[in-house]
Amino acid sequence: MDALDDGLDRLWTPHRMAYIKGDDQPRATYETPAGCPFCLAPEAPSETGLVVARGKVVYALLNRYPYNPGHLMICPYRHVADYPDLDGEETLELAEFTQAAMRVIRRVSGAHGFNLGMNQGAVAGAGIAAHLHQHVVPRWGGDTNFMPVIGVTKVLPQLLADTRDLLASAWAEA
Ligand SMILES: [Zn+2]
């Protein structure tokens, strides 16, 4: 644990209420890449797209509706839904980015554990089923106890921006 802990060690969930209430809620189906946030994110500046790292065929971005601070997703640039449809290069780099994400999050936040995985298909819980994304969710002992957090002193976009900067810097150094 070091001074950087404070960058990620609080759970802020009020923004999930906005998500649940439907503000800016992703549509269940993105039929075309034109409306797909995972196709659009890497085209935006990293600060606004919340992109943490860019690889050759995949990239990492911060989840705007995180389950925990530092919740990242690894996506192929290519608009592809089904994991078996990834080609060899995408499969390899997605795995490497998952490993890098764990190392980076551990370094900046001292995460105790992780949930990794993909929801395949809307029936399995994928919010944006048309473009696959590997979740990397850091966990801390007792983190569910933080859920009723009060006293968030910054507005959420700033929290997300700070978190992105922290992770992107650590990723670049790794
Ligand atoms: Zn897409």
Side-chain angles (χ1 to χ4, degrees):
M1 297 297 184
D2 56 35
L4 287 174
D5 286 348
D6 190 51
L8 289 180
D9 70 357
R10 58 180 147 181
L11 255 180
W12 16 257
T13 57
H15 52 289
R16 288 203 66 83
M17 292 310 295
Y19 177 70
I20 292 163
K21 282 162 27 186
D23 301 341
D24 193 27
Q25 186 171 8
R27 304 299 181 268
T29 55
Y30 281 90
E31 301 293 346
T32 65
C36 175
F38 295 139
C39 288
L40 293 172
E43 295 179 5
S46 294
E47 289 74 15
T48 52
L50 296 180
V51 173
V52 168
R54 297 170 187 267
K56 189 174 173 194
V57 291
V58 310
Y59 71 98
L61 80 164
L62 201 60
N63 193 325
R64 288 183 190 278
Y65 308 102
Y67 289 106
N68 258 356
H71 177 174
L72 292 183
M73 297 177 293
I74 317 296
C75 299
Y77 293 118
R78 192 164 63 97
H79 186 81
V80 54
D82 205 33
Y83 181 59
D85 288 340
L86 290 183
D87 66 23
E89 187 177 27
E90 289 164 338
T91 302
L92 178 60
E93 197 174 44
L94 188 137
E96 291 172 344
F97 261 52
T98 302
Q99 293 175 326
M102 286 182 61
R103 290 189 193 104
V104 166
I105 294 168
R106 272 205 188 108
R107 184 138 59 85
V108 302
S109 74
H112 299 147
F114 290 87
N115 291 110
L116 304 176
M118 279 178 262
N119 299 322
Q120 288 278 277
V123 70
I128 300 165
H131 194 142
L132 75 80
H133 43 287
Q134 163 101 309
H135 292 275
V136 179
V137 183
R139 301 298 304 268
W140 292 266
D143 55 13
T144 54
N145 294 332
F146 288 73
M147 294 304 268
V149 152
I150 56 171
V152 172
T153 56
K154 294 181 182 178
V155 296
L156 175 71
Q158 189 58 44
L159 280 175
L160 286 171
D162 289 351
T163 304
R164 192 216 71 87
D165 291 348
L166 186 67
L167 292 172
S169 298
W171 196 302
E173 290 167 9

PDB file of all heavy atoms in Angstrom, residues 30 32-33 36-40 76-80 128 130-131, ligand 1:
ATOM      1  N   TYR A  30     -26.610  -3.250 -30.404  1.00  0.00           N
ATOM      2  CA  TYR A  30     -25.940  -2.342 -31.315  1.00  0.00           C
ATOM      3  C   TYR A  30     -25.770  -3.115 -32.613  1.00  0.00           C
ATOM      4  O   TYR A  30     -24.872  -3.942 -32.742  1.00  0.00           O
ATOM      5  CB  TYR A  30     -24.591  -1.898 -30.764  1.00  0.00           C
ATOM      6  CG  TYR A  30     -24.722  -0.812 -29.734  1.00  0.00           C
ATOM      7  CD1 TYR A  30     -24.871  -1.118 -28.396  1.00  0.00           C
ATOM      8  CD2 TYR A  30     -24.738   0.519 -30.122  1.00  0.00           C
ATOM      9  CE1 TYR A  30     -25.008  -0.124 -27.450  1.00  0.00           C
ATOM     10  CE2 TYR A  30     -24.871   1.526 -29.181  1.00  0.00           C
ATOM     11  CZ  TYR A  30     -25.005   1.202 -27.854  1.00  0.00           C
ATOM     12  OH  TYR A  30     -25.132   2.180 -26.924  1.00  0.00           O
ATOM     13  N   THR A  32     -25.095  -2.075 -35.602  1.00  0.00           N
ATOM     14  CA  THR A  32     -24.043  -1.639 -36.508  1.00  0.00           C
ATOM     15  C   THR A  32     -22.902  -1.014 -35.723  1.00  0.00           C
ATOM     16  O   THR A  32     -23.111  -0.408 -34.682  1.00  0.00           O
ATOM     17  CB  THR A  32     -24.579  -0.584 -37.494  1.00  0.00           C
ATOM     18  OG1 THR A  32     -24.936   0.582 -36.748  1.00  0.00           O
ATOM     19  CG2 THR A  32     -25.806  -1.098 -38.235  1.00  0.00           C
ATOM     20  N   PRO A  33     -21.710  -1.157 -36.235  1.00  0.00           N
ATOM     21  CA  PRO A  33     -20.579  -0.537 -35.567  1.00  0.00           C
ATOM     22  C   PRO A  33     -20.762   0.966 -35.409  1.00  0.00           C
ATOM     23  O   PRO A  33     -20.189   1.554 -34.495  1.00  0.00           O
ATOM     24  CB  PRO A  33     -19.401  -0.858 -36.493  1.00  0.00           C
ATOM     25  CG  PRO A  33     -19.808  -2.130 -37.161  1.00  0.00           C
ATOM     26  CD  PRO A  33     -21.306  -2.011 -37.353  1.00  0.00           C
ATOM     27  N   CYS A  36     -21.789   1.717 -31.952  1.00  0.00           N
ATOM     28  CA  CYS A  36     -21.174   0.865 -30.932  1.00  0.00           C
ATOM     29  C   CYS A  36     -20.145   1.649 -30.125  1.00  0.00           C
ATOM     30  O   CYS A  36     -19.158   2.137 -30.668  1.00  0.00           O
ATOM     31  CB  CYS A  36     -20.499  -0.331 -31.597  1.00  0.00           C
ATOM     32  SG  CYS A  36     -19.601  -1.350 -30.423  1.00  0.00           S
ATOM     33  N   PRO A  37     -20.356   1.765 -28.810  1.00  0.00           N
ATOM     34  CA  PRO A  37     -19.410   2.536 -28.002  1.00  0.00           C
ATOM     35  C   PRO A  37     -18.003   1.950 -27.988  1.00  0.00           C
ATOM     36  O   PRO A  37     -17.031   2.683 -27.807  1.00  0.00           O
ATOM     37  CB  PRO A  37     -20.035   2.524 -26.606  1.00  0.00           C
ATOM     38  CG  PRO A  37     -20.988   1.399 -26.613  1.00  0.00           C
ATOM     39  CD  PRO A  37     -21.460   1.228 -28.021  1.00  0.00           C
ATOM     40  N   PHE A  38     -17.888   0.636 -28.169  1.00  0.00           N
ATOM     41  CA  PHE A  38     -16.556   0.029 -28.158  1.00  0.00           C
ATOM     42  C   PHE A  38     -15.839   0.202 -29.491  1.00  0.00           C
ATOM     43  O   PHE A  38     -14.629   0.000 -29.575  1.00  0.00           O
ATOM     44  CB  PHE A  38     -16.639  -1.450 -27.778  1.00  0.00           C
ATOM     45  CG  PHE A  38     -17.125  -1.667 -26.370  1.00  0.00           C
ATOM     46  CD1 PHE A  38     -18.018  -2.682 -26.073  1.00  0.00           C
ATOM     47  CD2 PHE A  38     -16.671  -0.865 -25.335  1.00  0.00           C
ATOM     48  CE1 PHE A  38     -18.468  -2.882 -24.784  1.00  0.00           C
ATOM     49  CE2 PHE A  38     -17.118  -1.061 -24.032  1.00  0.00           C
ATOM     50  CZ  PHE A  38     -18.023  -2.076 -23.752  1.00  0.00           C
ATOM     51  N   CYS A  39     -16.585   0.550 -30.530  1.00  0.00           N
ATOM     52  CA  CYS A  39     -15.943   0.957 -31.783  1.00  0.00           C
ATOM     53  C   CYS A  39     -15.568   2.435 -31.733  1.00  0.00           C
ATOM     54  O   CYS A  39     -14.553   2.848 -32.280  1.00  0.00           O
ATOM     55  CB  CYS A  39     -16.870   0.706 -32.976  1.00  0.00           C
ATOM     56  SG  CYS A  39     -17.070  -1.039 -33.395  1.00  0.00           S
ATOM     57  N   LEU A  40     -16.396   3.218 -31.031  1.00  0.00           N
ATOM     58  CA  LEU A  40     -16.178   4.665 -30.996  1.00  0.00           C
ATOM     59  C   LEU A  40     -15.078   5.065 -30.008  1.00  0.00           C
ATOM     60  O   LEU A  40     -14.322   6.009 -30.267  1.00  0.00           O
ATOM     61  CB  LEU A  40     -17.478   5.381 -30.615  1.00  0.00           C
ATOM     62  CG  LEU A  40     -18.608   5.291 -31.632  1.00  0.00           C
ATOM     63  CD1 LEU A  40     -19.893   5.869 -31.046  1.00  0.00           C
ATOM     64  CD2 LEU A  40     -18.223   6.019 -32.914  1.00  0.00           C
ATOM     65  N   PRO A  76     -11.316  -5.948 -28.484  1.00  0.00           N
ATOM     66  CA  PRO A  76     -10.678  -5.868 -29.804  1.00  0.00           C
ATOM     67  C   PRO A  76     -11.157  -4.593 -30.491  1.00  0.00           C
ATOM     68  O   PRO A  76     -12.267  -4.126 -30.234  1.00  0.00           O
ATOM     69  CB  PRO A  76     -11.209  -7.122 -30.523  1.00  0.00           C
ATOM     70  CG  PRO A  76     -12.520  -7.408 -29.861  1.00  0.00           C
ATOM     71  CD  PRO A  76     -12.389  -6.951 -28.427  1.00  0.00           C
ATOM     72  N   TYR A  77     -10.301  -4.020 -31.330  1.00  0.00           N
ATOM     73  CA  TYR A  77     -10.774  -2.876 -32.121  1.00  0.00           C
ATOM     74  C   TYR A  77     -11.883  -3.327 -33.068  1.00  0.00           C
ATOM     75  O   TYR A  77     -12.808  -2.580 -33.363  1.00  0.00           O
ATOM     76  CB  TYR A  77      -9.633  -2.288 -32.957  1.00  0.00           C
ATOM     77  CG  TYR A  77      -8.537  -1.632 -32.158  1.00  0.00           C
ATOM     78  CD1 TYR A  77      -7.229  -2.118 -32.193  1.00  0.00           C
ATOM     79  CD2 TYR A  77      -8.796  -0.510 -31.366  1.00  0.00           C
ATOM     80  CE1 TYR A  77      -6.216  -1.513 -31.473  1.00  0.00           C
ATOM     81  CE2 TYR A  77      -7.792   0.098 -30.641  1.00  0.00           C
ATOM     82  CZ  TYR A  77      -6.503  -0.407 -30.700  1.00  0.00           C
ATOM     83  OH  TYR A  77      -5.497   0.201 -29.980  1.00  0.00           O
ATOM     84  N   ARG A  78     -11.747  -4.538 -33.557  1.00  0.00           N
ATOM     85  CA  ARG A  78     -12.693  -5.075 -34.526  1.00  0.00           C
ATOM     86  C   ARG A  78     -14.045  -5.333 -33.857  1.00  0.00           C
ATOM     87  O   ARG A  78     -14.104  -5.817 -32.727  1.00  0.00           O
ATOM     88  CB  ARG A  78     -12.122  -6.383 -35.106  1.00  0.00           C
ATOM     89  CG  ARG A  78     -12.833  -6.925 -36.306  1.00  0.00           C
ATOM     90  CD  ARG A  78     -11.959  -7.953 -37.001  1.00  0.00           C
ATOM     91  NE  ARG A  78     -11.658  -9.129 -36.166  1.00  0.00           N
ATOM     92  CZ  ARG A  78     -12.346 -10.285 -36.249  1.00  0.00           C
ATOM     93  NH1 ARG A  78     -13.331 -10.409 -37.100  1.00  0.00           N
ATOM     94  NH2 ARG A  78     -12.012 -11.308 -35.468  1.00  0.00           N
ATOM     95  N   HIS A  79     -15.103  -5.011 -34.551  1.00  0.00           N
ATOM     96  CA  HIS A  79     -16.458  -5.200 -34.033  1.00  0.00           C
ATOM     97  C   HIS A  79     -16.824  -6.678 -34.165  1.00  0.00           C
ATOM     98  O   HIS A  79     -17.280  -7.134 -35.213  1.00  0.00           O
ATOM     99  CB  HIS A  79     -17.424  -4.324 -34.818  1.00  0.00           C
ATOM    100  CG  HIS A  79     -18.831  -4.345 -34.277  1.00  0.00           C
ATOM    101  ND1 HIS A  79     -19.231  -3.583 -33.192  1.00  0.00           N
ATOM    102  CD2 HIS A  79     -19.931  -5.042 -34.667  1.00  0.00           C
ATOM    103  CE1 HIS A  79     -20.513  -3.806 -32.955  1.00  0.00           C
ATOM    104  NE2 HIS A  79     -20.955  -4.681 -33.829  1.00  0.00           N
ATOM    105  N   VAL A  80     -16.602  -7.409 -33.117  1.00  0.00           N
ATOM    106  CA  VAL A  80     -16.861  -8.852 -33.141  1.00  0.00           C
ATOM    107  C   VAL A  80     -17.528  -9.236 -31.825  1.00  0.00           C
ATOM    108  O   VAL A  80     -17.154  -8.739 -30.767  1.00  0.00           O
ATOM    109  CB  VAL A  80     -15.553  -9.647 -33.374  1.00  0.00           C
ATOM    110  CG1 VAL A  80     -14.486  -9.279 -32.367  1.00  0.00           C
ATOM    111  CG2 VAL A  80     -15.799 -11.151 -33.374  1.00  0.00           C
ATOM    112  N   ILE A 128     -23.538  -4.764 -23.818  1.00  0.00           N
ATOM    113  CA  ILE A 128     -23.299  -4.448 -25.222  1.00  0.00           C
ATOM    114  C   ILE A 128     -22.787  -5.736 -25.850  1.00  0.00           C
ATOM    115  O   ILE A 128     -21.588  -5.990 -25.929  1.00  0.00           O
ATOM    116  CB  ILE A 128     -22.282  -3.300 -25.368  1.00  0.00           C
ATOM    117  CG1 ILE A 128     -22.848  -2.049 -24.667  1.00  0.00           C
ATOM    118  CG2 ILE A 128     -21.994  -3.010 -26.836  1.00  0.00           C
ATOM    119  CD1 ILE A 128     -21.841  -0.964 -24.427  1.00  0.00           C
ATOM    120  N   ALA A 130     -22.881  -6.964 -28.818  1.00  0.00           N
ATOM    121  CA  ALA A 130     -22.395  -7.043 -30.189  1.00  0.00           C
ATOM    122  C   ALA A 130     -20.880  -6.884 -30.308  1.00  0.00           C
ATOM    123  O   ALA A 130     -20.307  -7.196 -31.342  1.00  0.00           O
ATOM    124  CB  ALA A 130     -23.086  -5.982 -31.045  1.00  0.00           C
ATOM    125  N   HIS A 131     -20.252  -6.393 -29.268  1.00  0.00           N
ATOM    126  CA  HIS A 131     -18.802  -6.159 -29.322  1.00  0.00           C
ATOM    127  C   HIS A 131     -18.210  -6.718 -28.029  1.00  0.00           C
ATOM    128  O   HIS A 131     -18.431  -6.164 -26.948  1.00  0.00           O
ATOM    129  CB  HIS A 131     -18.543  -4.650 -29.463  1.00  0.00           C
ATOM    130  CG  HIS A 131     -17.140  -4.300 -29.849  1.00  0.00           C
ATOM    131  ND1 HIS A 131     -16.850  -3.277 -30.719  1.00  0.00           N
ATOM    132  CD2 HIS A 131     -15.947  -4.830 -29.474  1.00  0.00           C
ATOM    133  CE1 HIS A 131     -15.524  -3.196 -30.869  1.00  0.00           C
ATOM    134  NE2 HIS A 131     -14.960  -4.119 -30.110  1.00  0.00           N
TER     135      HIS A 131
HETATM  136 ZN    ZN B   1     -18.186  -2.370 -31.985  1.00  0.00          ZN
END
